[in-house]
Amino acid sequence: MNLIFLGAPGAGKGTQAKRAVEKYGIPQISTGDMLREAVAKGTELGKKAKEYMDKGELVPDEVVIGIVKERLQQPDCEKGFILDGFPRTLAQAEALDEMLKELGKKIDAVINIAVPEEEVVKRIVNRRTCKKCGAVYHLIYAPPKEDNKCDKCGGELYQRDDDKEETVRERYRVYKQNTEPLIEYYRKKGVLYDVDGTKDIEGVWEEVVSILDKIK
Ligand code: AMP
């Protein structure tokens, strides 16, 4: 199954994608995670990406397209993959079509997780991420058992720089302008499935599973 999880920042793409990795045994390809890793390692790519990420802006298309192209050619993507946070612009979606054509693959489903701005802001400003394993918590809805400590690996939890309110609002604006048009792009291709992202994690997951079980 070749999937895209589409939605505003904080819609729950990453959370749902992680569950789908477990259930369906296909890898999650999160451009945000890959870029953060590059930033943490201080690579050339990381240095370039950080400027944009800190402001809540999109990293240039050619940069992310290059990363995804390389990643999709890894052997673990043969059985399928979940794109999380990519594509985010029309140019990225078109580049993805090209890449998949070359690889003899196609997208089976685009899961569009819809959540309004105020809910996104409420979710993200309370979001905490593990420095070590990337696990995500929410101080109110899904708090860690111990303050500031990851339940899974004991790593320290932190607030991503781009999870501050002002940056979140900018990221939402960027989403509306650049990424929302992709909903129609994929609807026209007949692969779009809408999910109500305002439900709790379990409720959204039920909807996602019912869609994926049908197309698998
Ligand atoms: P995320 O973790 O998906 O919210 O991504 C965090 C940040 O990484 C975004 O605000 C962008 O600056 C950058 N980023 C991630 N994916 C992309 C993408 N597909 N295109 C451009 N920038 C991206």
Side-chain angles (χ1 to χ4, degrees), residues 31-66:
T31 41
D33 284 351
M34 289 193 275
L35 292 169
R36 274 185 292 280
E37 212 179 294
V39 171
K41 282 190 185 145
T43 63
E44 274 313 304
L45 165 71
K47 281 182 206 151
K48 201 160 152 192
K50 191 174 186 321
E51 287 170 44
Y52 298 95
M53 295 171 79
D54 283 350
K55 287 188 268 183
E57 290 172 7
L58 293 182
V59 172
D61 285 334
E62 65 274 15
V63 176
V64 267
I65 289 168

Side-chain angles (χ1 to χ4, degrees), residues 48-169:
K48 201 160 152 192
K50 191 174 186 321
E51 287 170 44
Y52 298 95
M53 295 171 79
D54 283 350
K55 287 188 268 183
E57 290 172 7
L58 293 182
V59 172
D61 285 334
E62 65 274 15
V63 176
V64 267
I65 289 168
I67 303 180
V68 172
K69 192 164 187 180
E70 214 176 286
R71 183 66 186 85
L72 283 177
Q73 291 173 40
Q74 303 297 314
D76 64 332
C77 292
E78 247 147 56
K79 278 195 304 181
F81 52 80
I82 304 162
L83 286 168
D84 159 18
F86 182 95
R88 261 173 152 101
T89 64
L90 207 53
Q92 291 179 18
E94 285 166 358
L96 177 65
D97 285 345
E98 272 304 302
M99 275 179 231
L100 293 176
K101 207 164 132 196
E102 277 171 31
L103 293 167
K105 295 179 183 190
K106 64 172 180 52
I107 292 297
D108 298 304
V110 178
I111 308 290
N112 176 39
I113 311 180
V115 180
E117 178 171 0
E118 285 319 309
E119 176 67 18
V120 158
V121 172
K122 204 165 78 194
R123 285 183 186 183
I124 299 195
V125 296
N126 286 301
R127 179 155 82 175
R128 296 294 179 272
T129 307
C130 173
K131 265 191 183 157
K132 231 160 106 186
C133 75
V136 178
Y137 296 86
H138 187 281
L139 295 182
I140 298 155
Y141 305 136
K145 292 199 182 85
E146 235 182 281
D147 275 359
N148 282 322
K149 201 166 166 186
C150 178
D151 294 351
K152 296 187 181 108
C153 76
E156 189 191 337
L157 305 185
Y158 78 114
Q159 182 177 40
R160 280 169 43 180
D161 285 341
D162 60 348
D163 279 354
K164 311 259 157 71
E165 179 167 346
E166 208 184 282
T167 320
V168 172
R169 292 204 184 269

